[in-house]
Amino acid sequence: MNPASTIDNGYRGIGNILFYARLAAPLSLLFAVIYFGTNWITSRRTDNHQLYLEWELAIPFVPSMIYVYASLLVLLLLPAFTLTRSQLIALARSLVAALFIAAAIYLLLPADLGFVRPDHVPGYNAVFQALFALEMPHNLVPSLHVATSALFIAVLYRSLSSVWIRAGLILWGMLLCASVLLVHQHHVLDVVSGLLLGYLCYRLVYRRAIERT
C-alpha cells in the first residue's frame, strides 16, 4: 500500500510542520553521509576533470550574492507550510533520488573547481570560511544546490496558483543559479546539469508519486 494513501492528503497546518521535520531529519543525515562522503573520496583522487571553459574564470566574484546562495535554506522550509502530506512524501522521495544520482555522477566524473578560493573576503570572511570548510570543491557536476532549488521551485510552482508567487519563484530560481556562479562555487555545466537533474526528479519521481495518490 502506498503510505501516502493512509494519510490525509489535504491536511495542512501545524501538524504538517512536525511531519516535515520528521521527514527532514533522516534526509539530512543521508545527505551528510553521502554528500560529504563522496566529496572526501573525490578529494583524494588524482583523476579529477576540468569541466569548465577558460572564459568562465572571468566571471566576477560577488561576495554579497552569498545571501542569495544561502536563501536556499529558506526555500527548504516553504513546503512545510504549502504542501499536503502526500506531496511532502513525494518531495522527500524526489530528493533521495536526486542525491543518489548526483553522488553516482560525482564518483564517476570527479571534478576540480577552476576558481581560486580567496583566503580573506572583507566583510564576509566568517561566512565564506565556514562555507569553504564545509564544501570541498569537488562535488560539482551536477550542482546539488541548483538541483534542489529547481526541484523545490517546480513543486511549489505546481502547488501555488498565484501568478505573482509563481513569478517570484522563477525569479528566485534564476538568482539562485546566478549565485552559485558569482560566489565561485560552481561552473556553468554544474548549473545546467543541476537544473536538468532537478527537473527530471520532479517529472519522473514527484509527478508520478502524486499521480498514484
Side-chain angles (χ1 to χ4, degrees), residues 14 56 105 150:
I14 187 66
E56 295 181 47
I105 298 173

Side-chain angles (χ1 to χ4, degrees), residues 113-168:
L113 185 69
F115 299 114
V116 177
R117 288 179 161 180
D119 294 327
H120 300 286
V121 185
Y124 302 88
N125 198 53
V127 66
F128 275 97
Q129 290 303 316
L131 177 64
F132 296 159
L134 286 173
E135 295 196 18
M136 291 180 284
H138 300 290
N139 283 359
L140 299 178
V141 179
S143 166
L144 261 180
H145 203 93
V146 171
T148 303
S149 301
L151 173 61
F152 272 64
I153 287 173
V155 168
L156 292 169
Y157 186 95
R158 184 177 189 268
S159 66
L160 301 172
S161 58
S162 168
V163 173
W164 293 106
I165 292 177
R166 285 181 164 185

Side-chain angles (χ1 to χ4, degrees), residues 62-75 124 128 145 149 171-183:
V62 184
S64 60
M65 287 297 288
I66 193 65
Y67 296 118
V68 178
Y69 183 89
S71 72
L72 173 62
L73 299 176
V74 177
L75 182 61
Y124 302 88
F128 275 97
H145 203 93
S149 301
L171 177 59
W172 194 355
M174 294 171 63
L175 289 171
L176 279 164
C177 288
S179 74
V180 302
L181 298 173
L182 295 174
V183 298

Side-chain angles (χ1 to χ4, degrees), residues 40-60:
W40 182 84
I41 292 171
T42 307
S43 69
R44 282 153 178 78
R45 293 175 61 171
T46 59
D47 58 340
N48 295 353
H49 303 281
Q50 177 182 311
L51 302 177
Y52 58 87
L53 300 175
E54 291 299 325
W55 65 263
E56 295 181 47
L57 301 183
I59 294 174

